[in-house]
Amino acid sequence: MHELSLCQSIIDTIEAEARKQHFSRVRSVRLEIGALAGVDPEALRFGWEVVNAGTPAEGAALDIIGLPGAAWCFECQDTVEVEQYYDPCPHCQSHKLQVTGGQQLKIKELDVE
Ligand SMILES: [Zn+2]
């Protein structure tokens, strides 16, 4: 389950920020996850409960914002929305697409005290 290692790296980032910004506790973490990031939000929530014990983020709420996938369609010459890799263009059904967005997983905001 790679969501567990993702959670661990989120915790690592938070602990580094806690040292840098001198906060001791995180109330909530807002995460942006693209539709093409290959992350299962439920597994991520489960992993989060496991890894946050004993860290500044212990008990912190995980607020997940899902972002759509985006791709450039060479036929339409336009950016279109896709739900997964290798989806055809929703407008012209072409497969000549290049994924341009929706692969990110990042910490958008930390609510700290
Ligand atoms: Zn198209």
PDB file of all heavy atoms in Angstrom, residues 4-20 23 26 29 48 51-52 55-57 107 110:
ATOM      1  N   LEU A   4       0.514   4.456   2.446  1.00  0.00           N
ATOM      2  CA  LEU A   4       1.159   4.531   3.760  1.00  0.00           C
ATOM      3  C   LEU A   4       2.479   5.305   3.670  1.00  0.00           C
ATOM      4  O   LEU A   4       2.781   6.143   4.523  1.00  0.00           O
ATOM      5  CB  LEU A   4       1.406   3.116   4.302  1.00  0.00           C
ATOM      6  CG  LEU A   4       1.609   2.983   5.804  1.00  0.00           C
ATOM      7  CD1 LEU A   4       0.417   3.538   6.579  1.00  0.00           C
ATOM      8  CD2 LEU A   4       1.832   1.528   6.192  1.00  0.00           C
ATOM      9  N   SER A   5       3.252   5.046   2.619  1.00  0.00           N
ATOM     10  CA  SER A   5       4.514   5.788   2.491  1.00  0.00           C
ATOM     11  C   SER A   5       4.253   7.237   2.091  1.00  0.00           C
ATOM     12  O   SER A   5       5.015   8.134   2.443  1.00  0.00           O
ATOM     13  CB  SER A   5       5.469   5.091   1.516  1.00  0.00           C
ATOM     14  OG  SER A   5       4.854   4.895   0.282  1.00  0.00           O
ATOM     15  N   LEU A   6       3.150   7.459   1.387  1.00  0.00           N
ATOM     16  CA  LEU A   6       2.775   8.845   1.086  1.00  0.00           C
ATOM     17  C   LEU A   6       2.466   9.598   2.376  1.00  0.00           C
ATOM     18  O   LEU A   6       2.913  10.728   2.564  1.00  0.00           O
ATOM     19  CB  LEU A   6       1.537   8.881   0.183  1.00  0.00           C
ATOM     20  CG  LEU A   6       1.760   8.614  -1.299  1.00  0.00           C
ATOM     21  CD1 LEU A   6       0.416   8.500  -2.016  1.00  0.00           C
ATOM     22  CD2 LEU A   6       2.589   9.724  -1.914  1.00  0.00           C
ATOM     23  N   CYS A   7       1.703   8.936   3.259  1.00  0.00           N
ATOM     24  CA  CYS A   7       1.364   9.548   4.539  1.00  0.00           C
ATOM     25  C   CYS A   7       2.633   9.827   5.344  1.00  0.00           C
ATOM     26  O   CYS A   7       2.750  10.882   5.976  1.00  0.00           O
ATOM     27  CB  CYS A   7       0.444   8.640   5.346  1.00  0.00           C
ATOM     28  SG  CYS A   7      -1.227   8.592   4.698  1.00  0.00           S
ATOM     29  N   GLN A   8       3.564   8.879   5.300  1.00  0.00           N
ATOM     30  CA  GLN A   8       4.812   9.062   6.028  1.00  0.00           C
ATOM     31  C   GLN A   8       5.561  10.279   5.493  1.00  0.00           C
ATOM     32  O   GLN A   8       6.118  11.064   6.261  1.00  0.00           O
ATOM     33  CB  GLN A   8       5.670   7.796   5.910  1.00  0.00           C
ATOM     34  CG  GLN A   8       6.861   7.780   6.845  1.00  0.00           C
ATOM     35  CD  GLN A   8       6.468   7.996   8.308  1.00  0.00           C
ATOM     36  OE1 GLN A   8       5.668   7.250   8.863  1.00  0.00           O
ATOM     37  NE2 GLN A   8       7.012   9.028   8.945  1.00  0.00           N
ATOM     38  N   SER A   9       5.552  10.486   4.189  1.00  0.00           N
ATOM     39  CA  SER A   9       6.280  11.637   3.653  1.00  0.00           C
ATOM     40  C   SER A   9       5.557  12.949   3.966  1.00  0.00           C
ATOM     41  O   SER A   9       6.185  13.990   4.130  1.00  0.00           O
ATOM     42  CB  SER A   9       6.568  11.476   2.154  1.00  0.00           C
ATOM     43  OG  SER A   9       5.387  11.588   1.411  1.00  0.00           O
ATOM     44  N   ILE A  10       4.217  12.885   4.094  1.00  0.00           N
ATOM     45  CA  ILE A  10       3.469  14.076   4.520  1.00  0.00           C
ATOM     46  C   ILE A  10       3.867  14.428   5.957  1.00  0.00           C
ATOM     47  O   ILE A  10       4.111  15.590   6.283  1.00  0.00           O
ATOM     48  CB  ILE A  10       1.943  13.834   4.426  1.00  0.00           C
ATOM     49  CG1 ILE A  10       1.525  13.667   2.962  1.00  0.00           C
ATOM     50  CG2 ILE A  10       1.167  14.985   5.070  1.00  0.00           C
ATOM     51  CD1 ILE A  10       0.119  13.123   2.778  1.00  0.00           C
ATOM     52  N   ILE A  11       3.952  13.390   6.809  1.00  0.00           N
ATOM     53  CA  ILE A  11       4.364  13.599   8.206  1.00  0.00           C
ATOM     54  C   ILE A  11       5.784  14.181   8.261  1.00  0.00           C
ATOM     55  O   ILE A  11       6.058  15.118   9.023  1.00  0.00           O
ATOM     56  CB  ILE A  11       4.295  12.267   9.000  1.00  0.00           C
ATOM     57  CG1 ILE A  11       2.843  11.826   9.190  1.00  0.00           C
ATOM     58  CG2 ILE A  11       5.014  12.395  10.352  1.00  0.00           C
ATOM     59  CD1 ILE A  11       2.039  12.653  10.174  1.00  0.00           C
ATOM     60  N   ASP A  12       6.679  13.641   7.428  1.00  0.00           N
ATOM     61  CA  ASP A  12       8.060  14.156   7.400  1.00  0.00           C
ATOM     62  C   ASP A  12       8.062  15.648   7.066  1.00  0.00           C
ATOM     63  O   ASP A  12       8.788  16.428   7.687  1.00  0.00           O
ATOM     64  CB  ASP A  12       8.888  13.400   6.349  1.00  0.00           C
ATOM     65  CG  ASP A  12       9.146  11.954   6.761  1.00  0.00           C
ATOM     66  OD1 ASP A  12       8.922  11.633   7.943  1.00  0.00           O
ATOM     67  OD2 ASP A  12       9.566  11.164   5.898  1.00  0.00           O
ATOM     68  N   THR A  13       7.244  16.021   6.081  1.00  0.00           N
ATOM     69  CA  THR A  13       7.154  17.431   5.683  1.00  0.00           C
ATOM     70  C   THR A  13       6.628  18.280   6.836  1.00  0.00           C
ATOM     71  O   THR A  13       7.163  19.351   7.128  1.00  0.00           O
ATOM     72  CB  THR A  13       6.201  17.584   4.466  1.00  0.00           C
ATOM     73  OG1 THR A  13       6.667  16.732   3.424  1.00  0.00           O
ATOM     74  CG2 THR A  13       6.151  19.026   3.981  1.00  0.00           C
ATOM     75  N   ILE A  14       5.585  17.774   7.516  1.00  0.00           N
ATOM     76  CA  ILE A  14       4.990  18.518   8.625  1.00  0.00           C
ATOM     77  C   ILE A  14       5.995  18.676   9.777  1.00  0.00           C
ATOM     78  O   ILE A  14       6.114  19.757  10.358  1.00  0.00           O
ATOM     79  CB  ILE A  14       3.704  17.809   9.117  1.00  0.00           C
ATOM     80  CG1 ILE A  14       2.591  17.981   8.081  1.00  0.00           C
ATOM     81  CG2 ILE A  14       3.261  18.373  10.474  1.00  0.00           C
ATOM     82  CD1 ILE A  14       1.353  17.162   8.352  1.00  0.00           C
ATOM     83  N   GLU A  15       6.745  17.614  10.067  1.00  0.00           N
ATOM     84  CA  GLU A  15       7.716  17.705  11.157  1.00  0.00           C
ATOM     85  C   GLU A  15       8.818  18.705  10.823  1.00  0.00           C
ATOM     86  O   GLU A  15       9.261  19.467  11.688  1.00  0.00           O
ATOM     87  CB  GLU A  15       8.297  16.322  11.464  1.00  0.00           C
ATOM     88  CG  GLU A  15       7.266  15.458  12.193  1.00  0.00           C
ATOM     89  CD  GLU A  15       7.808  14.099  12.633  1.00  0.00           C
ATOM     90  OE1 GLU A  15       8.553  13.491  11.851  1.00  0.00           O
ATOM     91  OE2 GLU A  15       7.463  13.676  13.751  1.00  0.00           O
ATOM     92  N   ALA A  16       9.225  18.743   9.568  1.00  0.00           N
ATOM     93  CA  ALA A  16      10.239  19.719   9.150  1.00  0.00           C
ATOM     94  C   ALA A  16       9.694  21.139   9.271  1.00  0.00           C
ATOM     95  O   ALA A  16      10.378  22.051   9.742  1.00  0.00           O
ATOM     96  CB  ALA A  16      10.682  19.430   7.712  1.00  0.00           C
ATOM     97  N   GLU A  17       8.421  21.317   8.863  1.00  0.00           N
ATOM     98  CA  GLU A  17       7.787  22.635   8.969  1.00  0.00           C
ATOM     99  C   GLU A  17       7.611  23.048  10.427  1.00  0.00           C
ATOM    100  O   GLU A  17       7.762  24.229  10.760  1.00  0.00           O
ATOM    101  CB  GLU A  17       6.414  22.624   8.272  1.00  0.00           C
ATOM    102  CG  GLU A  17       6.484  22.606   6.767  1.00  0.00           C
ATOM    103  CD  GLU A  17       7.180  23.841   6.186  1.00  0.00           C
ATOM    104  OE1 GLU A  17       6.840  24.957   6.609  1.00  0.00           O
ATOM    105  OE2 GLU A  17       8.069  23.673   5.343  1.00  0.00           O
ATOM    106  N   ALA A  18       7.273  22.078  11.286  1.00  0.00           N
ATOM    107  CA  ALA A  18       7.064  22.369  12.707  1.00  0.00           C
ATOM    108  C   ALA A  18       8.355  22.913  13.330  1.00  0.00           C
ATOM    109  O   ALA A  18       8.326  23.843  14.135  1.00  0.00           O
ATOM    110  CB  ALA A  18       6.597  21.113  13.445  1.00  0.00           C
ATOM    111  N   ARG A  19       9.500  22.330  12.913  1.00  0.00           N
ATOM    112  CA  ARG A  19      10.791  22.805  13.440  1.00  0.00           C
ATOM    113  C   ARG A  19      11.096  24.205  12.910  1.00  0.00           C
ATOM    114  O   ARG A  19      11.556  25.075  13.635  1.00  0.00           O
ATOM    115  CB  ARG A  19      11.908  21.841  13.034  1.00  0.00           C
ATOM    116  CG  ARG A  19      11.992  20.605  13.928  1.00  0.00           C
ATOM    117  CD  ARG A  19      13.287  19.836  13.709  1.00  0.00           C
ATOM    118  NE  ARG A  19      13.352  19.263  12.362  1.00  0.00           N
ATOM    119  CZ  ARG A  19      12.840  18.068  12.041  1.00  0.00           C
ATOM    120  NH1 ARG A  19      12.238  17.334  12.955  1.00  0.00           N
ATOM    121  NH2 ARG A  19      12.926  17.606  10.815  1.00  0.00           N
ATOM    122  N   LYS A  20      10.791  24.397  11.614  1.00  0.00           N
ATOM    123  CA  LYS A  20      11.119  25.666  10.962  1.00  0.00           C
ATOM    124  C   LYS A  20      10.222  26.803  11.446  1.00  0.00           C
ATOM    125  O   LYS A  20      10.669  27.899  11.707  1.00  0.00           O
ATOM    126  CB  LYS A  20      10.958  25.486   9.439  1.00  0.00           C
ATOM    127  CG  LYS A  20      11.848  26.356   8.612  1.00  0.00           C
ATOM    128  CD  LYS A  20      12.069  25.822   7.190  1.00  0.00           C
ATOM    129  CE  LYS A  20      10.798  25.333   6.517  1.00  0.00           C
ATOM    130  NZ  LYS A  20      10.990  25.002   5.097  1.00  0.00           N
ATOM    131  N   PHE A  23       5.759  25.541  15.372  1.00  0.00           N
ATOM    132  CA  PHE A  23       4.432  25.197  15.887  1.00  0.00           C
ATOM    133  C   PHE A  23       4.532  23.795  16.491  1.00  0.00           C
ATOM    134  O   PHE A  23       5.425  23.014  16.141  1.00  0.00           O
ATOM    135  CB  PHE A  23       3.334  25.306  14.826  1.00  0.00           C
ATOM    136  CG  PHE A  23       3.528  24.451  13.596  1.00  0.00           C
ATOM    137  CD1 PHE A  23       3.205  23.106  13.609  1.00  0.00           C
ATOM    138  CD2 PHE A  23       4.002  25.013  12.405  1.00  0.00           C
ATOM    139  CE1 PHE A  23       3.353  22.322  12.472  1.00  0.00           C
ATOM    140  CE2 PHE A  23       4.160  24.228  11.264  1.00  0.00           C
ATOM    141  CZ  PHE A  23       3.838  22.888  11.301  1.00  0.00           C
ATOM    142  N   VAL A  26      -0.715  20.365  14.839  1.00  0.00           N
ATOM    143  CA  VAL A  26      -1.459  20.625  13.611  1.00  0.00           C
ATOM    144  C   VAL A  26      -2.901  20.198  13.838  1.00  0.00           C
ATOM    145  O   VAL A  26      -3.163  19.092  14.303  1.00  0.00           O
ATOM    146  CB  VAL A  26      -0.864  19.814  12.431  1.00  0.00           C
ATOM    147  CG1 VAL A  26      -1.663  20.046  11.161  1.00  0.00           C
ATOM    148  CG2 VAL A  26       0.593  20.183  12.222  1.00  0.00           C
ATOM    149  N   VAL A  29      -4.988  19.241   8.045  1.00  0.00           N
ATOM    150  CA  VAL A  29      -4.109  19.251   6.883  1.00  0.00           C
ATOM    151  C   VAL A  29      -4.997  19.220   5.651  1.00  0.00           C
ATOM    152  O   VAL A  29      -5.862  18.350   5.520  1.00  0.00           O
ATOM    153  CB  VAL A  29      -3.189  18.012   6.863  1.00  0.00           C
ATOM    154  CG1 VAL A  29      -2.265  18.048   5.656  1.00  0.00           C
ATOM    155  CG2 VAL A  29      -2.385  17.920   8.146  1.00  0.00           C
ATOM    156  N   TRP A  48      -3.196   7.606   7.201  1.00  0.00           N
ATOM    157  CA  TRP A  48      -3.004   8.820   7.991  1.00  0.00           C
ATOM    158  C   TRP A  48      -3.189   8.551   9.472  1.00  0.00           C
ATOM    159  O   TRP A  48      -2.407   9.003  10.314  1.00  0.00           O
ATOM    160  CB  TRP A  48      -3.986   9.884   7.491  1.00  0.00           C
ATOM    161  CG  TRP A  48      -3.927  11.175   8.226  1.00  0.00           C
ATOM    162  CD1 TRP A  48      -4.888  11.713   9.024  1.00  0.00           C
ATOM    163  CD2 TRP A  48      -2.836  12.104   8.235  1.00  0.00           C
ATOM    164  NE1 TRP A  48      -4.464  12.908   9.535  1.00  0.00           N
ATOM    165  CE2 TRP A  48      -3.213  13.167   9.071  1.00  0.00           C
ATOM    166  CE3 TRP A  48      -1.586  12.126   7.625  1.00  0.00           C
ATOM    167  CZ2 TRP A  48      -2.375  14.250   9.312  1.00  0.00           C
ATOM    168  CZ3 TRP A  48      -0.751  13.202   7.875  1.00  0.00           C
ATOM    169  CH2 TRP A  48      -1.149  14.249   8.702  1.00  0.00           C
ATOM    170  N   VAL A  51      -0.024   6.705  10.807  1.00  0.00           N
ATOM    171  CA  VAL A  51       1.292   7.356  10.913  1.00  0.00           C
ATOM    172  C   VAL A  51       1.311   8.623  11.770  1.00  0.00           C
ATOM    173  O   VAL A  51       2.389   9.075  12.154  1.00  0.00           O
ATOM    174  CB  VAL A  51       1.897   7.695   9.522  1.00  0.00           C
ATOM    175  CG1 VAL A  51       2.093   6.432   8.697  1.00  0.00           C
ATOM    176  CG2 VAL A  51       1.065   8.719   8.785  1.00  0.00           C
ATOM    177  N   ASN A  52       0.145   9.224  12.061  1.00  0.00           N
ATOM    178  CA  ASN A  52       0.216  10.513  12.759  1.00  0.00           C
ATOM    179  C   ASN A  52       0.405  10.389  14.279  1.00  0.00           C
ATOM    180  O   ASN A  52       0.681  11.379  14.957  1.00  0.00           O
ATOM    181  CB  ASN A  52      -0.965  11.429  12.400  1.00  0.00           C
ATOM    182  CG  ASN A  52      -2.297  10.984  12.980  1.00  0.00           C
ATOM    183  OD1 ASN A  52      -2.374  10.278  13.975  1.00  0.00           O
ATOM    184  ND2 ASN A  52      -3.375  11.411  12.346  1.00  0.00           N
ATOM    185  N   THR A  55       3.181  12.312  16.578  1.00  0.00           N
ATOM    186  CA  THR A  55       3.781  13.407  15.798  1.00  0.00           C
ATOM    187  C   THR A  55       2.981  14.688  16.062  1.00  0.00           C
ATOM    188  O   THR A  55       1.907  14.634  16.677  1.00  0.00           O
ATOM    189  CB  THR A  55       3.736  13.111  14.280  1.00  0.00           C
ATOM    190  OG1 THR A  55       2.400  13.340  13.818  1.00  0.00           O
ATOM    191  CG2 THR A  55       4.147  11.678  13.977  1.00  0.00           C
ATOM    192  N   PRO A  56       3.480  15.848  15.592  1.00  0.00           N
ATOM    193  CA  PRO A  56       2.704  17.093  15.787  1.00  0.00           C
ATOM    194  C   PRO A  56       1.334  17.028  15.102  1.00  0.00           C
ATOM    195  O   PRO A  56       0.447  17.819  15.411  1.00  0.00           O
ATOM    196  CB  PRO A  56       3.582  18.166  15.121  1.00  0.00           C
ATOM    197  CG  PRO A  56       4.967  17.588  15.101  1.00  0.00           C
ATOM    198  CD  PRO A  56       4.786  16.110  14.960  1.00  0.00           C
ATOM    199  N   ALA A  57       1.164  16.080  14.187  1.00  0.00           N
ATOM    200  CA  ALA A  57      -0.099  15.977  13.461  1.00  0.00           C
ATOM    201  C   ALA A  57      -1.024  14.909  14.056  1.00  0.00           C
ATOM    202  O   ALA A  57      -2.004  14.521  13.423  1.00  0.00           O
ATOM    203  CB  ALA A  57       0.178  15.666  11.993  1.00  0.00           C
ATOM    204  N   ILE A 107       0.504  19.306  -0.135  1.00  0.00           N
ATOM    205  CA  ILE A 107      -0.086  19.918   1.042  1.00  0.00           C
ATOM    206  C   ILE A 107      -0.434  21.350   0.668  1.00  0.00           C
ATOM    207  O   ILE A 107       0.448  22.145   0.328  1.00  0.00           O
ATOM    208  CB  ILE A 107       0.888  19.909   2.233  1.00  0.00           C
ATOM    209  CG1 ILE A 107       1.244  18.466   2.597  1.00  0.00           C
ATOM    210  CG2 ILE A 107       0.273  20.623   3.428  1.00  0.00           C
ATOM    211  CD1 ILE A 107       2.338  18.351   3.650  1.00  0.00           C
ATOM    212  N   LEU A 110      -1.815  24.035   6.093  1.00  0.00           N
ATOM    213  CA  LEU A 110      -1.740  23.430   7.424  1.00  0.00           C
ATOM    214  C   LEU A 110      -2.394  24.389   8.414  1.00  0.00           C
ATOM    215  O   LEU A 110      -2.072  25.567   8.433  1.00  0.00           O
ATOM    216  CB  LEU A 110      -0.276  23.241   7.864  1.00  0.00           C
ATOM    217  CG  LEU A 110       0.557  22.174   7.158  1.00  0.00           C
ATOM    218  CD1 LEU A 110       1.970  22.215   7.705  1.00  0.00           C
ATOM    219  CD2 LEU A 110      -0.060  20.809   7.313  1.00  0.00           C
TER     220      LEU A 110
END
